[in-house]
Amino acid sequence: MGVRIRLGDKTLELIMGDITEQDTDAIVNAANERLIPGGGVDGAIHRRGGPSIAEEARRIGGCPTGQAVVTGAGQLKARYVIHAVGPIYRDGRSGEADLLASAYRESLKRARELNLASVAFPSLSTGAYGYPLEEAAPIALKTILSFLKENESPRLVRMVLWGEKAYEAYRKALVELAKKEGLELEEF
Ligand code: ADP
């Protein structure tokens, strides 16, 4: 169950579910600057993917906020994990929106560099990092949609939302974005 918009052969879709179960070419991790396994979605990815992901991440050493780096995906179905570092939310006036957009854009650039067809994202920064869902959702979706418009890879971006509250916030933002862009919303 989900909702999607299409742009030619490109798709942006939302589902409610668990990012660690996705069979997209890559899944994105909500990482921290030190790339050390933490809680939330990061903990779930390392638990299910096994130790090779953290080993590779340790060799990379770190990743600044707003950037993204790639490792293999261990035992997960995906081929790669793209570790994106979203901003910690302070007051909404400390550059958070630009950094959040950058974390999505840089993740998509890593996918493009590997010529991947499909990528799944969790809702970056909206857990431990405290970004309000209603503010984060339109930024995430707008950034992804403009990347899909301008690039051939990836062709499918799936946002995997953990729970009803996150799903509804993103769904509302997608309805508004589709209306603004004159795109049709499809339920599946
Ligand atoms: P951050 O530190 O960037 O805020 P978190 O992992 O704390 O990252 O939270 C990011 C989002 O991921 C939250 O909205 C949280 O509910 C969600 N989340 C947690 N576990 C999963 C999962 N297994 N699949 C998808 N999303 C998840």
Side-chain angles (χ1 to χ4, degrees):
M1 186 206 80
V3 60
R4 63 164 75 102
I5 55 177
R6 292 186 198 272
L7 279 156
D9 65 343
K10 318 271 181 59
T11 303
L12 168 54
E13 68 185 26
L14 313 181
I15 63 164
M16 195 162 34
D18 183 344
I19 190 101
T20 64
E21 285 167 9
Q22 303 305 310
D23 60 0
T24 43
D25 293 325
I27 64 170
V28 176
N29 180 19
N32 54 65
E33 285 195 329
R34 296 172 67 203
L35 300 179
I36 289 172
V41 72
D42 191 25
I45 287 172
H46 285 287
R47 247 187 333 271
R48 298 218 28 195
S52 67
I53 301 172
E55 277 159 29
E56 256 186 83
R58 195 179 56 235
R59 261 178 267 134
I60 295 168
C63 178
T65 299
Q67 298 293 314
V69 297
V70 185
T71 67
Q75 290 149 34
L76 296 169
K77 289 181 196 156
R79 291 156 61 201
Y80 299 98
V81 176
I82 300 173
H83 304 263
V85 184
I88 297 172
Y89 192 85
R90 295 184 204 289
D91 53 8
R93 282 177 274 147
S94 306
E96 294 97 330
D98 287 345
L99 288 167
L100 185 64
S102 175
Y104 281 96
R105 203 178 307 114
E106 290 298 318
S107 300
L108 291 164
K109 283 189 200 167
R110 298 296 90 76
R112 184 184 64 191
E113 285 158 12
L114 293 162
N115 201 23
L116 304 184
S118 56
V119 181
F121 279 91
S123 174
L124 299 175
S125 283
T126 60
Y129 281 5
Y131 215 119
L133 272 170
E134 288 67 25
E135 286 182 46
I139 296 167
L141 297 180
K142 205 175 123 202
T143 305
I144 293 167
L145 186 67
S146 48
F147 196 94
L148 288 175
K149 276 186 187 167
E150 290 160 13
N151 295 279
E152 283 312 305
S153 159
R155 290 194 304 278
L156 168 68
V157 176
R158 177 182 300 152
M159 291 280 326
V160 182
L161 289 326
W162 185 249
E164 198 117 10
K165 201 162 150 268
Y167 181 75
E168 283 310 321
Y170 276 80
R171 189 193 146 76
K172 183 164 169 275
L174 190 65
V175 168
E176 277 163 23
L177 186 62
K179 200 195 281 176
K180 205 163 87 194
E181 299 277 332
L183 296 167
E184 199 181 322
L185 209 69
E186 200 183 302
E187 311 267 353
F188 62 94

